[in-house]
Amino acid sequence: MLNEGQIKQYQDQGFLVLDEVFPLDELEQVKQQAAKIVNDWHDDDRSHTFGTKDNDRSGNDFFLDSAETMSCFFEEEAFDEKGEFVQDRALCINKIGHALHELDPVFKRFSHQKILGDIAKDIGLQEPQIRQSMYIYKQPNIGGEVNWHQDATFFFTTPQSVVTYWFAMEDATLENGCLWVEPEGHKGPLRERFNRCGSDTKMQPLSDKAWPIDTGVPVEVKAGSLVIFQGKLPHYSAPNRSNKSRQAYTLHVTDGRTEYAVENWLHANTLPLTGFDS
Ligand code: FE2
């Protein structure tokens, strides 16, 4: 699937962009399915928000249980001081997570397609296993910032293996909060680990290396593009203050030959752990 230059780009830079590889009609099906899940979701508990300003999820069973559900989280700015939605309810959802790839037929089909397995093999994942899926809305006006982090913080394996597949469901631009990455940042240390013990979570510092606030580069992509990045690559996205959403779908994939840490927050014990179609 990938040519030598693309594999080298991934290895050298820590990320790779495949421009407009998925047709818009296929994206539309997935987008509509996400909208249906949101429409069918009737839990409007104001505490079910998602943000990254504070990563302490201790006692947050709604989050912790979502390893095995398709739960809708609200944007942190979804509600006004009276607890009312600040804009249309459907435009207040931050994300759906974290087991769409197993629980929903449309997402299951999209997530397991062979081309993704071919890419995994090209970049060194011999036994790819899909650990998590998220449909991220980055809503107009209130789409929250996702602070600088490395995905290996949340999917710690020995040796490091997690790869993120980031599908642009819509054009991602500087205006609507595109992804930012630090080229070659995957060559640096993992800065922290997110550990869970029962209902408690804790961020364990590993390195005080500064985040690349001044050296990150934006990754503006068209709808249908796929960004693949290595688990130690620092990445970030700004708040969305534009009037357009920036929808994306992500998969986090680890290699079955590695040891997946028992301390990781996400263990989908009741679901099968699957790879891609052959
Ligand atoms: Fe991430």
Side-chain angles (χ1 to χ4, degrees):
M1 165 64 202
L2 301 179
N3 62 39
E4 274 181 33
Q6 289 171 319
I7 294 171
K8 189 170 182 319
Q9 150 82 22
Y10 177 82
Q11 289 168 343
D12 287 351
Q13 302 292 306
F15 72 104
L16 176 67
V17 178
L18 300 175
D19 286 312
E20 299 179 73
V21 281
F22 296 96
L24 294 183
D25 57 348
E26 190 178 355
L27 296 190
E28 195 51 40
Q29 263 196 355
V30 176
K31 282 175 83 169
Q32 283 182 16
Q33 191 67 7
K36 182 177 181 309
I37 294 168
V38 168
N39 195 48
D40 291 345
W41 179 260
H42 297 299
D43 180 355
D44 283 350
D45 187 322
R46 275 37 179 172
S47 71
H48 296 167
T49 57
F50 184 82
T52 61
K53 284 184 206 130
D54 177 6
N55 275 310
D56 185 358
R57 315 281 178 206
S58 294
N60 186 346
D61 289 341
F62 182 73
F63 175 83
L64 296 171
D65 292 347
S66 68
E68 300 174 286
T69 67
M70 299 189 291
S71 298
C72 294
F73 294 80
F74 292 110
E75 294 281 1
E76 285 188 312
E77 298 177 24
F79 305 104
D80 64 18
E81 62 281 358
K82 290 182 189 150
E84 304 293 332
F85 290 114
V86 295
Q87 56 194 26
D88 197 64
R89 179 185 179 278
L91 297 177
C92 286
I93 304 291
N94 170 285
K95 70 171 176 179
I96 313 168
H98 293 93
L100 294 144
H101 63 289
E102 284 298 334
L103 297 174
D104 179 86
V106 173
F107 278 97
K108 190 168 186 170
R109 203 164 49 241
F110 184 79
S111 304
H112 287 81
Q113 53 191 303
K114 181 175 179 298
I115 183 178
L116 304 179
D118 293 342
I119 291 169
K121 294 235 161 49
D122 288 342
I123 58 176
L125 290 173
Q126 285 188 23
E127 293 175 28
Q129 296 177 325
I130 306 174
R131 292 282 175 181
Q132 184 199 63
S133 47
M134 292 191 282
Y135 194 90
I136 303 166
Y137 276 97
K138 193 71 109 174
Q139 299 286 5
N141 311 310
I142 60 168
E145 171 181 322
V146 175
N147 58 12
W148 281 100
H149 66 282
Q150 296 157 295
D151 287 346
T153 290
F154 302 94
F155 299 92
F156 191 86
T157 66
T158 308
Q160 144 44 37
S161 69
V162 67
V163 172
T164 301
Y165 288 71
W166 194 98
F167 305 87
M169 307 304 295
E170 299 179 319
D171 294 350
T173 66
L174 281 171
E175 288 70 37
N176 68 2
C178 68
L179 205 57
W180 288 67
V181 302
E182 181 196 18
E184 299 192 45
H186 65 305
K187 295 172 182 169
L190 183 64
R191 290 162 175 80
E192 49 197 4
R193 274 183 72 176
F194 183 71
N195 294 329
R196 170 181 181 178
C197 181
S199 277
D200 288 332
T201 68
K202 204 171 187 74
M203 198 61 94
Q204 173 193 3
L206 300 177
S207 163
D208 57 6
K209 188 171 172 62
W211 292 108
I213 292 164
D214 298 322
T215 51
V217 300
V219 185
E220 292 187 281
V221 291
K222 289 280 189 197
S225 301
L226 170 60
V227 186
I228 308 153
F229 52 93
Q230 211 257 19
K232 282 204 298 166
L233 188 80
H235 56 286
Y236 153 89
S237 66
N240 182 9
R241 300 300 179 202
S242 79
N243 59 9
K244 289 191 178 123
S245 60
R246 191 234 61 194
Q247 297 182 28
Y249 179 57
T250 65
L251 293 174
H252 292 97
V253 181
T254 57
D255 193 324
R257 297 172 305 164
T258 65
E259 184 191 342
Y260 186 79
V262 291
E263 298 89 354
N264 288 337
W265 82 269
L266 189 147
H267 287 270
N269 299 316
T270 64
L271 298 175
L273 182 56
T274 57
F276 300 105
D277 295 338
S278 53

